[in-house]
Amino acid sequence: MGIILKPIDVVDDITQEEFMEKYLKPRVPVVIKNMARKWPAYQKWTMEYVKEVVGDVEVPLYDSKKADPAAPINTPTTKMKFADYIDLIQREPTDLRIFFFDPIKHANKLMDDFIAPKELMGGFLDKYPSMFFGGKSSVTFLHFDIDMAHIFHTHFNGRKHVKLFEHKWKERLYRLPYATYALEDYDIDNPDFEKYPALNGVEGIECFLEHGDTLFMPTGWWHWMKYLDGSFSISLRAWDKSWAVKAHSIWNLTVQRKFDDIMKSNFKNTYMEWKEKAAMKTAEMALKRGLPK
């Protein structure tokens, strides 16, 4: 059986009414082909342009290795000047990625080049655009976003492979306790079903983004991403109207994250081993109970 992936809905353009009824309210992902073609970024954002604008700002880089159990989440692997990193991902494959690059702080000029799609929905967090850069074959591990925002994720200068899973599959995806990510020991692109049987039968959505494509990811959706070329994306975030979702976001960002950091700092490998065993047990129980229903 394996993991069951269906192709994502793809539209060229979309009205607010259609977006609300088909995608926002039922929380279903969609790729919008033409949204970013109205942006100056569609033509301007080449590798050389962003390199020129950002320059020699030193940026943290992340790789695909399993996280250090004693380190806080999102601890970088190394640092590099932005311009040197852009040269690197244009020159050769690398698993090094830039994660949550802030254009307001580091490259305010880029803020003139994109427009949040407020004609589709409200609640945009205008102060928190974020950019992501990756070398060819680099991978973003399977996770959902800690702030539980809706995300409009637009890709530039290459291709990106994306797999998406509704939040209801979290136990079967081997979610780690007190975390927003899954076990890092399996490859969602080529899973070992004997070792991780709960993945067998998990249902998701798959898409391949090209230059200028915008992926709408509703709140809570798990996502795995692989850069098929050295390229980059920008994510624009918007709050869900639900106060329950907002409360979940605040819990994740405060209580859960702080507790997890304290436990990792004090108990290191012991705590991580417990988390991994708990994820395995929870997934096994979910599979036996036929969850989600």
Side-chain angles (χ1 to χ4, degrees):
M1 183 187 301
I3 294 175
I4 303 165
L5 296 171
K6 66 178 183 179
I8 198 167
D9 284 0
V10 178
V11 299
D12 289 331
D13 299 287
I14 194 166
T15 64
Q16 183 187 55
E17 181 180 6
E18 184 181 11
F19 177 74
M20 289 283 186
E21 293 304 316
K22 288 188 176 181
Y23 303 106
L24 182 60
K25 288 181 181 178
R27 296 179 181 170
V28 174
V30 62
V31 169
I32 307 171
K33 300 289 288 185
N34 290 341
M35 192 183 86
R37 295 190 181 193
K38 307 177 184 74
W39 299 355
Y42 184 77
Q43 299 291 341
K44 291 171 66 176
W45 281 14
T46 63
M47 290 290 195
E48 290 305 314
Y49 180 75
V50 294
K51 176 181 168 182
E52 176 187 338
V53 171
V54 180
D56 287 334
V57 171
E58 188 175 66
V59 291
L61 300 176
Y62 303 83
D63 62 19
S64 302
K65 294 177 183 175
K66 189 173 180 179
D68 180 350
I73 190 171
N74 299 335
T75 299
T77 302
T78 187
K79 294 182 179 180
M80 184 183 292
K81 289 182 179 179
F82 182 86
D84 292 340
Y85 175 76
I86 294 299
D87 288 341
L88 172 65
I89 65 173
Q90 290 187 96
R91 185 175 65 245
E92 61 191 62
T94 175
D95 70 343
L96 293 174
R97 296 174 291 109
I98 298 177
F99 179 74
F100 268 102
F101 178 82
D102 182 354
I104 294 179
K105 180 179 179 181
H106 298 296
N108 198 257
K109 186 177 179 180
L110 298 177
M111 297 294 294
D112 297 330
D113 295 338
F114 60 87
I115 306 162
K118 296 179 181 180
E119 71 278 7
L120 296 182
M121 65 174 294
F124 278 92
L125 304 171
D126 292 332
K127 294 182 179 179
Y128 300 101
S130 47
M131 299 181 73
F132 304 84
F133 297 75
K136 181 179 180 179
S137 299
S138 62
V139 170
T140 303
F141 58 80
L142 185 63
H143 69 287
F144 67 94
D145 280 37
I146 193 168
D147 63 357
M148 302 296 291
H150 298 294
I151 302 169
F152 290 83
H153 185 79
T154 302
H155 197 60
F156 295 92
N157 280 276
R159 300 163 299 148
K160 181 183 277 188
H161 183 192
V162 184
K163 296 185 180 185
L164 300 153
F165 302 92
E166 199 172 351
H167 201 66
K168 67 181 182 180
W169 291 100
K170 58 186 182 295
E171 289 90 0
R172 294 275 296 275
L173 292 171
Y174 295 87
R175 177 188 176 177
L176 292 169
Y178 305 108
T180 59
Y181 53 96
L183 272 177
E184 297 176 69
D185 296 317
Y186 70 83
D187 178 3
I188 195 67
D189 206 29
N190 185 29
D192 182 343
F193 293 111
E194 289 189 9
K195 190 172 182 180
Y196 304 101
L199 294 173
N200 204 9
V202 167
E203 298 174 9
I205 293 175
E206 183 175 39
C207 67
F208 293 85
L209 300 178
E210 298 179 342
H211 178 79
D213 288 350
T214 298
L215 167 63
F216 169 67
M217 288 187 289
T219 174
W221 274 72
W222 289 71
H223 43 284
W224 168 95
M225 298 183 175
K226 182 176 184 178
Y227 291 83
L228 302 181
D229 305 293
S231 48
F232 61 93
S233 307
I234 187 167
S235 285
L236 307 180
R237 319 175 82 78
W239 278 118
D240 189 80
K241 287 185 176 181
S242 165
W243 282 104
V245 173
K246 291 184 176 74
H248 193 173
S249 170
I250 293 169
W251 171 269
N252 288 346
L253 289 163
T254 55
V255 178
Q256 177 176 280
R257 172 177 275 182
K258 187 65 175 177
F259 174 80
D260 196 52
D261 284 346
I262 290 171
M263 293 296 287
K264 284 194 286 188
S265 177
N266 286 282
F267 299 102
K268 300 180 174 63
N269 286 327
T270 301
Y271 176 58
M272 184 54 69
E273 288 171 5
W274 171 80
K275 289 178 70 167
E276 291 176 350
K277 288 178 181 177
M280 295 289 286
K281 185 175 181 179
T282 300
E284 180 183 337
M285 292 299 297
L287 180 61
K288 286 181 178 179
R289 294 168 61 191
L291 298 177
K293 294 182 178 178

